[in-house]
Amino acid sequence: MTTPAAFDLTGRLAVVTGARRGIGRAMARALAAAGADIIGVSAHLEERGSAVEQEVLATGRTFQAVRTDLAEPAAVRALGEDLAGRKRPVDILVNNAGTIRRAPAAEHGDEDWNDVLQVNLTAQFMLARAVGAAMVARGRGRIIFTASLLSYQGGITVPGYTAAKHGIAGLTKALANEWARHGVNVNAIAPGYIATDNTRALRDDPVRSPAITDRIPAGRWGRPDDLAGATVFLASDAASYIHGTVLPVDGGWLGR
């Protein structure tokens, strides 16, 4: 029987990329509330005094800010080496950071494609490879990717983002196949339409925004905090026999 203690993350160290705002900030806040200390990673994260730091500290947990641009492969490689080599091991890696570029496929330039694939897929693999290897050596760990509804669907005018998020779904399963037997759980969360900066253009569109809302059985756009429960669950002992799963948190969108 699963007890509340199975969801307790006290004493664990969690790394959350893209922690400065939106979904990543909500994930960091939720993990801290469950007992985890947090390392927040973002390209523009303030060294001290950020909103996410204040929220984590308010739970009684510790917070360290790491400013890293995931669009720079050398910086990602250095971050992976740093995290994997720390005296206090990383127990939970939340690979959440992402970017999006919107343009019709025929006008979607190489630079936009490469940037989106680097941040949303290649950097995710590089960090998972480094931190995951250390987890495998210890025989325990949790890796959570942020996938998307576009891990299942094609979307409109976001070919690079869609390709990357399909890749995240496949990578989740590939890593789980290798690492599950070593005590490392690799899973992903697929947020639905969540009200964040990345979806501002859609929410401001007078045609698409109501069309999206009308298709969501829950009848509303999601909020970043709607991802909190799934994040804590997949990071916890309650999910010890869950491997290679992409968990939709979408207000019922995929069931429509």
Short mmCIF file of all heavy atoms in Angstrom, two decimals, residues 65-133:
data_model
loop_
_atom_site.label_atom_id
_atom_site.label_comp_id
_atom_site.label_asym_id
_atom_site.label_seq_id
_atom_site.Cartn_x
_atom_site.Cartn_y
_atom_site.Cartn_z
N ALA A 65 21.24 28.79 -7.51
CA ALA A 65 20.99 29.22 -8.88
C ALA A 65 22.21 28.91 -9.74
O ALA A 65 23.35 29.18 -9.35
CB ALA A 65 20.70 30.71 -8.92
N VAL A 66 21.98 28.34 -10.92
CA VAL A 66 23.05 28.08 -11.89
C VAL A 66 22.60 28.68 -13.21
O VAL A 66 21.60 28.24 -13.79
CB VAL A 66 23.32 26.57 -12.05
CG1 VAL A 66 24.36 26.34 -13.13
CG2 VAL A 66 23.78 25.97 -10.73
N ARG A 67 23.34 29.66 -13.67
CA ARG A 67 23.00 30.31 -14.94
C ARG A 67 23.74 29.60 -16.08
O ARG A 67 24.96 29.65 -16.16
CB ARG A 67 23.37 31.79 -14.90
CG ARG A 67 23.02 32.53 -16.17
CD ARG A 67 23.33 34.00 -16.07
NE ARG A 67 22.41 34.70 -15.18
CZ ARG A 67 22.38 36.03 -15.03
NH1 ARG A 67 23.23 36.78 -15.69
NH2 ARG A 67 21.52 36.57 -14.20
N THR A 68 22.99 28.93 -16.93
CA THR A 68 23.56 28.21 -18.07
C THR A 68 22.64 28.36 -19.27
O THR A 68 21.43 28.16 -19.16
CB THR A 68 23.73 26.71 -17.75
OG1 THR A 68 24.60 26.55 -16.63
CG2 THR A 68 24.32 25.96 -18.94
N ASP A 69 23.22 28.68 -20.41
CA ASP A 69 22.46 28.79 -21.66
C ASP A 69 22.50 27.44 -22.36
O ASP A 69 23.55 27.02 -22.86
CB ASP A 69 23.07 29.88 -22.53
CG ASP A 69 22.24 30.15 -23.78
OD1 ASP A 69 21.26 29.41 -24.03
OD2 ASP A 69 22.57 31.11 -24.51
N LEU A 70 21.36 26.75 -22.39
CA LEU A 70 21.32 25.42 -23.00
C LEU A 70 21.45 25.46 -24.51
O LEU A 70 21.58 24.41 -25.15
CB LEU A 70 20.03 24.71 -22.59
CG LEU A 70 19.83 24.47 -21.09
CD1 LEU A 70 18.65 23.55 -20.85
CD2 LEU A 70 21.07 23.92 -20.43
N ALA A 71 21.45 26.66 -25.09
CA ALA A 71 21.69 26.78 -26.53
C ALA A 71 23.17 26.64 -26.87
O ALA A 71 23.52 26.53 -28.05
CB ALA A 71 21.17 28.13 -27.04
N GLU A 72 24.03 26.63 -25.85
CA GLU A 72 25.48 26.52 -26.05
C GLU A 72 25.96 25.13 -25.64
O GLU A 72 26.02 24.82 -24.46
CB GLU A 72 26.21 27.59 -25.22
CG GLU A 72 25.83 29.02 -25.58
CD GLU A 72 26.26 29.40 -26.99
OE1 GLU A 72 27.23 28.78 -27.49
OE2 GLU A 72 25.65 30.30 -27.57
N PRO A 73 26.31 24.28 -26.60
CA PRO A 73 26.71 22.91 -26.27
C PRO A 73 27.84 22.82 -25.26
O PRO A 73 27.81 21.96 -24.37
CB PRO A 73 27.12 22.32 -27.63
CG PRO A 73 26.33 23.11 -28.62
CD PRO A 73 26.25 24.50 -28.06
N ALA A 74 28.84 23.69 -25.35
CA ALA A 74 29.96 23.64 -24.41
C ALA A 74 29.49 23.93 -22.99
O ALA A 74 29.96 23.31 -22.03
CB ALA A 74 31.04 24.62 -24.83
N ALA A 75 28.56 24.87 -22.85
CA ALA A 75 28.03 25.21 -21.53
C ALA A 75 27.21 24.05 -20.96
O ALA A 75 27.27 23.76 -19.76
CB ALA A 75 27.17 26.47 -21.62
N VAL A 76 26.48 23.37 -21.81
CA VAL A 76 25.69 22.21 -21.37
C VAL A 76 26.61 21.09 -20.93
O VAL A 76 26.38 20.44 -19.90
CB VAL A 76 24.74 21.74 -22.49
CG1 VAL A 76 23.98 20.49 -22.04
CG2 VAL A 76 23.77 22.84 -22.88
N ARG A 77 27.66 20.87 -21.69
CA ARG A 77 28.61 19.82 -21.33
C ARG A 77 29.26 20.11 -19.98
O ARG A 77 29.40 19.22 -19.13
CB ARG A 77 29.68 19.70 -22.43
CG ARG A 77 30.58 18.50 -22.29
CD ARG A 77 31.49 18.36 -23.51
NE ARG A 77 30.71 18.13 -24.72
CZ ARG A 77 30.55 19.02 -25.70
NH1 ARG A 77 31.12 20.22 -25.61
NH2 ARG A 77 29.83 18.74 -26.76
N ALA A 78 29.63 21.37 -19.77
CA ALA A 78 30.24 21.76 -18.49
C ALA A 78 29.25 21.59 -17.34
O ALA A 78 29.62 21.15 -16.24
CB ALA A 78 30.74 23.20 -18.57
N LEU A 79 28.00 21.94 -17.57
CA LEU A 79 26.98 21.78 -16.54
C LEU A 79 26.80 20.31 -16.18
O LEU A 79 26.72 19.95 -15.00
CB LEU A 79 25.65 22.37 -17.02
CG LEU A 79 24.45 22.16 -16.08
CD1 LEU A 79 24.69 22.83 -14.73
CD2 LEU A 79 23.17 22.69 -16.74
N GLY A 80 26.75 19.46 -17.19
CA GLY A 80 26.60 18.03 -16.92
C GLY A 80 27.74 17.48 -16.10
O GLY A 80 27.54 16.71 -15.16
N GLU A 81 28.96 17.87 -16.44
CA GLU A 81 30.13 17.42 -15.69
C GLU A 81 30.08 17.92 -14.25
O GLU A 81 30.42 17.19 -13.31
CB GLU A 81 31.40 17.89 -16.39
CG GLU A 81 31.64 17.22 -17.73
CD GLU A 81 32.80 17.83 -18.49
OE1 GLU A 81 33.38 18.83 -17.98
OE2 GLU A 81 33.13 17.32 -19.58
N ASP A 82 29.66 19.18 -14.08
CA ASP A 82 29.55 19.76 -12.74
C ASP A 82 28.55 18.99 -11.89
O ASP A 82 28.84 18.58 -10.76
CB ASP A 82 29.14 21.23 -12.86
CG ASP A 82 28.79 21.85 -11.51
OD1 ASP A 82 29.42 21.51 -10.49
OD2 ASP A 82 27.87 22.69 -11.48
N LEU A 83 27.36 18.78 -12.44
CA LEU A 83 26.30 18.11 -11.68
C LEU A 83 26.67 16.66 -11.36
O LEU A 83 26.40 16.17 -10.26
CB LEU A 83 24.99 18.16 -12.46
CG LEU A 83 24.39 19.55 -12.68
CD1 LEU A 83 23.16 19.46 -13.59
CD2 LEU A 83 24.02 20.22 -11.36
N ALA A 84 27.27 15.98 -12.32
CA ALA A 84 27.61 14.57 -12.12
C ALA A 84 28.76 14.39 -11.13
O ALA A 84 28.86 13.34 -10.48
CB ALA A 84 27.97 13.92 -13.45
N GLY A 85 29.61 15.42 -11.00
CA GLY A 85 30.80 15.28 -10.17
C GLY A 85 30.67 15.86 -8.77
O GLY A 85 31.65 15.85 -8.02
N ARG A 86 29.50 16.33 -8.40
CA ARG A 86 29.35 16.97 -7.09
C ARG A 86 29.42 15.94 -5.95
O ARG A 86 29.01 14.80 -6.11
CB ARG A 86 28.02 17.72 -7.03
CG ARG A 86 27.99 18.94 -7.94
CD ARG A 86 26.83 19.83 -7.67
NE ARG A 86 26.91 21.06 -8.46
CZ ARG A 86 26.40 22.22 -8.08
NH1 ARG A 86 25.75 22.31 -6.92
NH2 ARG A 86 26.51 23.28 -8.84
N LYS A 87 29.91 16.42 -4.81
CA LYS A 87 30.00 15.55 -3.64
C LYS A 87 28.61 15.10 -3.21
O LYS A 87 28.41 13.93 -2.84
CB LYS A 87 30.70 16.29 -2.50
CG LYS A 87 30.91 15.43 -1.27
CD LYS A 87 31.71 16.17 -0.21
CE LYS A 87 31.93 15.30 1.01
NZ LYS A 87 32.72 16.03 2.06
N ARG A 88 27.65 16.03 -3.22
CA ARG A 88 26.27 15.65 -2.94
C ARG A 88 25.61 15.26 -4.24
O ARG A 88 25.43 16.09 -5.13
CB ARG A 88 25.49 16.79 -2.28
CG ARG A 88 24.07 16.39 -1.93
CD ARG A 88 23.29 17.53 -1.30
NE ARG A 88 21.94 17.08 -0.97
CZ ARG A 88 20.98 17.89 -0.50
NH1 ARG A 88 21.24 19.18 -0.31
NH2 ARG A 88 19.79 17.40 -0.23
N PRO A 89 25.22 14.01 -4.41
CA PRO A 89 24.70 13.57 -5.70
C PRO A 89 23.31 14.12 -6.01
O PRO A 89 22.53 14.41 -5.11
CB PRO A 89 24.65 12.05 -5.55
CG PRO A 89 24.51 11.81 -4.09
CD PRO A 89 25.29 12.91 -3.43
N VAL A 90 23.04 14.25 -7.30
CA VAL A 90 21.72 14.66 -7.76
C VAL A 90 20.80 13.44 -7.72
O VAL A 90 21.09 12.41 -8.34
CB VAL A 90 21.80 15.22 -9.19
CG1 VAL A 90 20.40 15.51 -9.73
CG2 VAL A 90 22.66 16.48 -9.22
N ASP A 91 19.70 13.56 -7.00
CA ASP A 91 18.72 12.47 -6.90
C ASP A 91 17.65 12.56 -7.97
O ASP A 91 17.10 11.55 -8.41
CB ASP A 91 18.04 12.50 -5.53
CG ASP A 91 19.03 12.35 -4.39
OD1 ASP A 91 19.61 11.27 -4.26
OD2 ASP A 91 19.24 13.33 -3.65
N ILE A 92 17.32 13.80 -8.37
CA ILE A 92 16.22 14.04 -9.31
C ILE A 92 16.68 15.06 -10.35
O ILE A 92 17.16 16.14 -9.99
CB ILE A 92 14.98 14.61 -8.57
CG1 ILE A 92 14.53 13.66 -7.45
CG2 ILE A 92 13.85 14.89 -9.55
CD1 ILE A 92 13.70 14.35 -6.38
N LEU A 93 16.56 14.72 -11.61
CA LEU A 93 16.85 15.66 -12.69
C LEU A 93 15.56 15.91 -13.45
O LEU A 93 14.98 14.99 -14.03
CB LEU A 93 17.91 15.09 -13.64
CG LEU A 93 18.14 15.90 -14.93
CD1 LEU A 93 18.68 17.30 -14.63
CD2 LEU A 93 19.10 15.15 -15.87
N VAL A 94 15.12 17.16 -13.44
CA VAL A 94 13.94 17.55 -14.21
C VAL A 94 14.42 18.33 -15.43
O VAL A 94 14.82 19.49 -15.33
CB VAL A 94 12.96 18.40 -13.37
CG1 VAL A 94 11.74 18.78 -14.22
CG2 VAL A 94 12.52 17.63 -12.13
N ASN A 95 14.40 17.69 -16.57
CA ASN A 95 14.83 18.29 -17.84
C ASN A 95 13.66 19.02 -18.45
O ASN A 95 12.91 18.46 -19.28
CB ASN A 95 15.33 17.19 -18.78
CG ASN A 95 16.83 17.14 -18.88
OD1 ASN A 95 17.50 18.17 -18.81
ND2 ASN A 95 17.38 15.95 -19.05
N ASN A 96 13.48 20.27 -18.06
CA ASN A 96 12.28 21.01 -18.44
C ASN A 96 12.53 22.15 -19.43
O ASN A 96 11.63 22.52 -20.18
CB ASN A 96 11.62 21.57 -17.18
CG ASN A 96 10.59 22.63 -17.48
OD1 ASN A 96 9.49 22.34 -17.94
ND2 ASN A 96 10.96 23.90 -17.27
N ALA A 97 13.71 22.73 -19.44
CA ALA A 97 13.95 23.93 -20.23
C ALA A 97 13.60 23.72 -21.70
O ALA A 97 13.80 22.63 -22.26
CB ALA A 97 15.40 24.36 -20.11
N GLY A 98 13.08 24.76 -22.33
CA GLY A 98 12.72 24.64 -23.73
C GLY A 98 12.54 25.99 -24.38
O GLY A 98 12.49 27.03 -23.71
N THR A 99 12.47 25.96 -25.70
CA THR A 99 12.21 27.18 -26.47
C THR A 99 11.34 26.80 -27.66
O THR A 99 11.22 25.61 -27.99
CB THR A 99 13.53 27.83 -26.93
OG1 THR A 99 13.25 29.12 -27.49
CG2 THR A 99 14.23 26.98 -27.99
N ILE A 100 10.74 27.79 -28.29
CA ILE A 100 9.85 27.52 -29.42
C ILE A 100 10.01 28.63 -30.45
O ILE A 100 10.24 29.79 -30.10
CB ILE A 100 8.38 27.40 -28.95
CG1 ILE A 100 7.49 26.81 -30.04
CG2 ILE A 100 7.84 28.73 -28.46
CD1 ILE A 100 6.12 26.37 -29.53
N ARG A 101 9.95 28.29 -31.71
CA ARG A 101 9.98 29.26 -32.81
C ARG A 101 8.81 28.94 -33.72
O ARG A 101 8.65 27.79 -34.16
CB ARG A 101 11.30 29.16 -33.60
CG ARG A 101 12.56 29.29 -32.74
CD ARG A 101 12.81 30.70 -32.25
NE ARG A 101 13.90 30.75 -31.29
CZ ARG A 101 15.19 30.76 -31.60
NH1 ARG A 101 15.56 30.72 -32.88
NH2 ARG A 101 16.10 30.81 -30.66
N ARG A 102 8.02 29.94 -34.01
CA ARG A 102 6.81 29.75 -34.80
C ARG A 102 6.99 30.34 -36.20
O ARG A 102 7.26 31.54 -36.35
CB ARG A 102 5.60 30.41 -34.11
CG ARG A 102 5.29 29.82 -32.75
CD ARG A 102 4.04 30.45 -32.13
NE ARG A 102 3.85 29.97 -30.76
CZ ARG A 102 3.27 28.82 -30.45
NH1 ARG A 102 2.80 28.04 -31.41
NH2 ARG A 102 3.16 28.45 -29.19
N ALA A 103 6.84 29.49 -37.21
CA ALA A 103 6.88 29.92 -38.60
C ALA A 103 6.37 28.77 -39.46
O ALA A 103 6.60 27.60 -39.12
CB ALA A 103 8.29 30.30 -39.04
N PRO A 104 5.69 29.07 -40.56
CA PRO A 104 5.29 28.00 -41.47
C PRO A 104 6.50 27.18 -41.89
O PRO A 104 7.61 27.70 -42.01
CB PRO A 104 4.68 28.76 -42.66
CG PRO A 104 4.23 30.07 -42.08
CD PRO A 104 5.25 30.40 -41.03
N ALA A 105 6.29 25.90 -42.12
CA ALA A 105 7.41 24.99 -42.39
C ALA A 105 8.27 25.47 -43.57
O ALA A 105 9.50 25.38 -43.52
CB ALA A 105 6.88 23.58 -42.65
N ALA A 106 7.64 26.00 -44.61
CA ALA A 106 8.40 26.44 -45.78
C ALA A 106 9.26 27.67 -45.49
O ALA A 106 10.16 28.00 -46.26
CB ALA A 106 7.44 26.75 -46.94
N GLU A 107 8.98 28.33 -44.35
CA GLU A 107 9.73 29.53 -43.97
C GLU A 107 10.53 29.31 -42.68
O GLU A 107 11.11 30.25 -42.15
CB GLU A 107 8.76 30.69 -43.78
CG GLU A 107 7.92 30.99 -45.01
CD GLU A 107 6.74 31.91 -44.70
OE1 GLU A 107 6.75 32.54 -43.62
OE2 GLU A 107 5.81 31.99 -45.53
N HIS A 108 10.56 28.08 -42.20
CA HIS A 108 11.22 27.77 -40.93
C HIS A 108 12.71 27.59 -41.20
O HIS A 108 13.14 26.57 -41.73
CB HIS A 108 10.62 26.49 -40.34
CG HIS A 108 10.86 26.31 -38.88
ND1 HIS A 108 10.11 26.94 -37.93
CD2 HIS A 108 11.78 25.58 -38.21
CE1 HIS A 108 10.53 26.59 -36.72
NE2 HIS A 108 11.56 25.77 -36.87
N GLY A 109 13.50 28.59 -40.85
CA GLY A 109 14.91 28.61 -41.22
C GLY A 109 15.77 27.61 -40.47
O GLY A 109 15.40 27.11 -39.41
N ASP A 110 16.95 27.36 -41.03
CA ASP A 110 17.88 26.42 -40.42
C ASP A 110 18.30 26.85 -39.02
O ASP A 110 18.44 26.02 -38.12
CB ASP A 110 19.15 26.29 -41.28
CG ASP A 110 18.88 25.60 -42.61
OD1 ASP A 110 17.78 25.03 -42.77
OD2 ASP A 110 19.78 25.63 -43.47
N GLU A 111 18.51 28.14 -38.82
CA GLU A 111 18.95 28.62 -37.51
C GLU A 111 17.90 28.35 -36.46
O GLU A 111 18.21 27.88 -35.35
CB GLU A 111 19.27 30.12 -37.57
CG GLU A 111 19.82 30.66 -36.26
CD GLU A 111 20.23 32.11 -36.35
OE1 GLU A 111 20.24 32.68 -37.47
OE2 GLU A 111 20.56 32.70 -35.29
N ASP A 112 16.63 28.63 -36.77
CA ASP A 112 15.56 28.35 -35.83
C ASP A 112 15.47 26.86 -35.54
O ASP A 112 15.31 26.43 -34.39
CB ASP A 112 14.22 28.85 -36.37
CG ASP A 112 14.08 30.36 -36.26
OD1 ASP A 112 14.88 30.97 -35.53
OD2 ASP A 112 13.16 30.92 -36.88
N TRP A 113 15.53 26.05 -36.59
CA TRP A 113 15.48 24.59 -36.42
C TRP A 113 16.59 24.11 -35.50
O TRP A 113 16.35 23.37 -34.55
CB TRP A 113 15.58 23.92 -37.79
CG TRP A 113 15.70 22.43 -37.75
CD1 TRP A 113 16.86 21.70 -37.64
CD2 TRP A 113 14.64 21.48 -37.78
NE1 TRP A 113 16.58 20.35 -37.62
CE2 TRP A 113 15.22 20.19 -37.71
CE3 TRP A 113 13.25 21.59 -37.89
CZ2 TRP A 113 14.47 19.02 -37.73
CZ3 TRP A 113 12.50 20.42 -37.92
CH2 TRP A 113 13.08 19.15 -37.83
N ASN A 114 17.82 24.53 -35.79
CA ASN A 114 18.96 24.07 -35.00
C ASN A 114 18.88 24.53 -33.55
O ASN A 114 19.21 23.76 -32.63
CB ASN A 114 20.26 24.55 -35.64
CG ASN A 114 20.55 23.88 -36.97
OD1 ASN A 114 20.10 22.76 -37.21
ND2 ASN A 114 21.28 24.55 -37.84
N ASP A 115 18.46 25.77 -33.32
CA ASP A 115 18.35 26.28 -31.96
C ASP A 115 17.32 25.50 -31.16
O ASP A 115 17.55 25.15 -29.99
CB ASP A 115 17.98 27.76 -31.98
CG ASP A 115 19.14 28.66 -32.39
OD1 ASP A 115 20.28 28.16 -32.46
OD2 ASP A 115 18.90 29.86 -32.64
N VAL A 116 16.18 25.25 -31.76
CA VAL A 116 15.11 24.52 -31.06
C VAL A 116 15.54 23.09 -30.76
O VAL A 116 15.32 22.58 -29.65
CB VAL A 116 13.81 24.55 -31.88
CG1 VAL A 116 12.77 23.59 -31.29
CG2 VAL A 116 13.24 25.96 -31.90
N LEU A 117 16.15 22.41 -31.72
CA LEU A 117 16.60 21.04 -31.48
C LEU A 117 17.70 21.00 -30.42
O LEU A 117 17.75 20.07 -29.59
CB LEU A 117 17.09 20.40 -32.78
CG LEU A 117 16.08 19.60 -33.59
CD1 LEU A 117 15.70 18.31 -32.88
CD2 LEU A 117 14.84 20.41 -33.91
N GLN A 118 18.59 21.99 -30.42
CA GLN A 118 19.66 22.02 -29.43
C GLN A 118 19.10 22.16 -28.01
O GLN A 118 19.44 21.38 -27.11
CB GLN A 118 20.62 23.17 -29.72
CG GLN A 118 21.57 23.54 -28.59
CD GLN A 118 22.48 22.43 -28.15
OE1 GLN A 118 22.89 21.60 -28.96
NE2 GLN A 118 22.83 22.38 -26.86
N VAL A 119 18.24 23.14 -27.81
CA VAL A 119 17.72 23.40 -26.46
C VAL A 119 16.74 22.32 -26.01
O VAL A 119 16.80 21.85 -24.87
CB VAL A 119 17.04 24.78 -26.40
CG1 VAL A 119 16.35 25.00 -25.06
CG2 VAL A 119 18.06 25.89 -26.65
N ASN A 120 15.85 21.91 -26.90
CA ASN A 120 14.75 21.03 -26.51
C ASN A 120 15.07 19.55 -26.56
O ASN A 120 14.33 18.75 -25.97
CB ASN A 120 13.53 21.29 -27.41
CG ASN A 120 12.90 22.63 -27.16
OD1 ASN A 120 13.52 23.55 -26.65
ND2 ASN A 120 11.64 22.76 -27.53
N LEU A 121 16.13 19.17 -27.25
CA LEU A 121 16.43 17.74 -27.37
C LEU A 121 17.89 17.42 -27.09
O LEU A 121 18.19 16.62 -26.21
CB LEU A 121 16.04 17.24 -28.76
CG LEU A 121 16.21 15.74 -29.02
CD1 LEU A 121 15.41 14.90 -28.02
CD2 LEU A 121 15.81 15.39 -30.45
N THR A 122 18.81 18.04 -27.81
CA THR A 122 20.22 17.69 -27.65
C THR A 122 20.72 18.00 -26.25
O THR A 122 21.38 17.16 -25.60
CB THR A 122 21.08 18.42 -28.69
OG1 THR A 122 20.61 18.08 -30.00
CG2 THR A 122 22.54 18.01 -28.56
N ALA A 123 20.42 19.19 -25.75
CA ALA A 123 20.85 19.55 -24.39
C ALA A 123 20.23 18.63 -23.36
O ALA A 123 20.87 18.27 -22.36
CB ALA A 123 20.50 21.01 -24.09
N GLN A 124 18.98 18.23 -23.60
CA GLN A 124 18.31 17.33 -22.66
C GLN A 124 19.04 15.98 -22.58
O GLN A 124 19.21 15.40 -21.50
CB GLN A 124 16.86 17.08 -23.11
CG GLN A 124 16.07 18.32 -23.51
CD GLN A 124 15.79 19.25 -22.36
OE1 GLN A 124 15.68 18.81 -21.22
NE2 GLN A 124 15.69 20.53 -22.64
N PHE A 125 19.45 15.49 -23.75
CA PHE A 125 20.19 14.22 -23.77
C PHE A 125 21.55 14.37 -23.10
O PHE A 125 21.97 13.50 -22.32
CB PHE A 125 20.38 13.72 -25.20
CG PHE A 125 21.29 12.53 -25.28
CD1 PHE A 125 20.94 11.32 -24.71
CD2 PHE A 125 22.53 12.64 -25.90
CE1 PHE A 125 21.80 10.22 -24.76
CE2 PHE A 125 23.39 11.55 -25.95
CZ PHE A 125 23.02 10.34 -25.38
N MET A 126 22.24 15.47 -23.37
CA MET A 126 23.57 15.67 -22.80
C MET A 126 23.52 15.69 -21.27
O MET A 126 24.37 15.07 -20.60
CB MET A 126 24.18 16.97 -23.33
CG MET A 126 24.51 16.93 -24.81
SD MET A 126 25.01 18.55 -25.46
CE MET A 126 26.60 18.75 -24.66
N LEU A 127 22.54 16.37 -20.70
CA LEU A 127 22.41 16.42 -19.25
C LEU A 127 21.99 15.06 -18.69
O LEU A 127 22.52 14.61 -17.66
CB LEU A 127 21.40 17.49 -18.84
CG LEU A 127 21.84 18.93 -19.02
CD1 LEU A 127 20.73 19.87 -18.56
CD2 LEU A 127 23.13 19.23 -18.26
N ALA A 128 21.04 14.42 -19.36
CA ALA A 128 20.59 13.11 -18.89
C ALA A 128 21.73 12.10 -18.96
O ALA A 128 21.87 11.24 -18.08
CB ALA A 128 19.40 12.63 -19.72
N ARG A 129 22.54 12.18 -19.99
CA ARG A 129 23.67 11.26 -20.15
C ARG A 129 24.66 11.41 -18.99
O ARG A 129 25.09 10.43 -18.38
CB ARG A 129 24.37 11.52 -21.48
CG ARG A 129 25.58 10.64 -21.74
CD ARG A 129 26.17 10.96 -23.10
NE ARG A 129 26.59 12.36 -23.20
CZ ARG A 129 26.90 12.95 -24.35
NH1 ARG A 129 26.83 12.30 -25.49
NH2 ARG A 129 27.28 14.22 -24.36
N ALA A 130 25.01 12.66 -18.66
CA ALA A 130 25.99 12.90 -17.61
C ALA A 130 25.44 12.56 -16.23
O ALA A 130 26.06 11.81 -15.47
CB ALA A 130 26.44 14.37 -17.65
N VAL A 131 24.28 13.11 -15.91
CA VAL A 131 23.70 12.88 -14.58
C VAL A 131 23.21 11.44 -14.46
O VAL A 131 23.34 10.80 -13.41
CB VAL A 131 22.57 13.88 -14.30
CG1 VAL A 131 21.92 13.61 -12.95
CG2 VAL A 131 23.11 15.31 -14.35
N GLY A 132 22.64 10.91 -15.53
CA GLY A 132 22.14 9.54 -15.51
C GLY A 132 23.23 8.52 -15.30
O GLY A 132 23.04 7.52 -14.61
N ALA A 133 24.41 8.75 -15.87
CA ALA A 133 25.52 7.81 -15.67
C ALA A 133 25.90 7.74 -14.20
O ALA A 133 26.18 6.65 -13.68
CB ALA A 133 26.72 8.25 -16.51
#
